[in-house]
């Protein structure tokens, strides 16, 4: 399975995770213009945006945070919305970690180029375990 296909599968999976946790969630799809986020969700008057990333190895490379994603998440927050986040899934373990955008930017600004799964776990605000490892 290609990385793009695995990413699309994970977007649908993460949207389902959010829905099962009481959120209204919607996948944004604008492949031509490069949408700023993958998923927008809402619950109890709070709107959250997520970008979804799949890690085939044991590391999340911060270079995978694209320029349009960074500027969009910064603008999202500057407009008075809550903070954006990344949902990162490690295929090896099937674990999904939600990490706030600012937490990843702090690491990047400190010169850190990648985070291991255990590093990401320490920085995460939520984790979902056992969500399929059959992305072959």
């Amino acid at each position: 399975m290609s990385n793009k296909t695995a990413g699309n599968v994970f977007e649908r999976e993460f949207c389902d995770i959010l829905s099962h946790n009481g959120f209204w969630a919607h996948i944004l799809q604008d492949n031509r213009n490069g949408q700023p986020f993958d998923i927008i969700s809402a619950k109890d008057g709070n709107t959250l945006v997520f970008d979804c990333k799949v890690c085939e190895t044991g590391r999340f490379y911060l270079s995978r945070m694209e320029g349009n994603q960074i500027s969009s998440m910064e603008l999202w927050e500057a407009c008075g919305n809550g903070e954006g986040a990344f949902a990162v899934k490690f295929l090896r373990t099937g674990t999904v970690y939600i990490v706030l955008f600012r937490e990843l930017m702090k690491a990047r600004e400190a010169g850190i180029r990648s985070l291991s799964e255990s590093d990401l776990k320490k920085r995460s605000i939520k984790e979902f375990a056992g969500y399929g490892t059959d992305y072959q």
Side-chain angles (χ1 to χ4, degrees):
M1 179 180 293
S2 73
N3 192 35
K4 174 112 175 101
T5 302
N8 290 339
V9 169
F10 177 49
E11 288 170 13
R12 288 189 300 274
E13 180 181 74
F14 187 64
C15 201
D16 287 344
I17 290 170
L18 290 170
S19 293
H20 284 96
N21 282 276
F23 286 84
W24 170 88
H26 178 74
I27 298 171
L28 301 172
Q29 294 184 345
D30 182 2
N31 295 332
R32 194 173 338 139
N33 297 314
Q35 81 274 4
F37 318 113
D38 292 323
I39 295 175
I40 187 166
S41 65
K43 180 178 180 179
D44 298 330
N46 296 308
T47 304
L48 305 168
V49 293
F50 296 94
D51 195 77
C52 297
K53 300 292 185 189
V54 173
C55 293
E56 295 178 3
T57 68
R59 301 199 72 77
F60 175 65
Y61 291 88
L62 297 175
S63 61
R64 294 190 59 201
M65 295 169 49
E66 300 168 18
N68 69 324
Q69 295 165 338
I70 292 170
S71 61
S72 294
M73 288 204 179
E74 288 173 340
L75 183 57
W76 175 262
E77 186 176 350
C79 288
N81 299 300
E83 205 169 345
F86 280 72
V88 181
K89 180 174 183 171
F90 285 86
L91 293 183
R92 197 173 59 207
T93 63
T95 305
V96 177
Y97 300 95
I98 297 176
V99 185
L100 293 175
F101 166 69
R102 285 277 152 230
E103 188 64 31
L104 293 174
M105 287 303 291
K106 281 184 208 172
R108 192 171 157 142
E109 290 163 1
I112 297 170
R113 296 177 64 168
S114 68
L115 298 166
S116 68
E117 184 171 356
S118 63
D119 292 334
L120 206 66
K121 180 177 181 160
K122 291 174 193 170
R123 295 172 186 266
S124 72
I125 59 168
K126 183 76 176 164
E127 143 184 1
F128 300 96
Y131 279 89
T133 57
D134 57 343
Y135 281 67
Q136 305 305 325

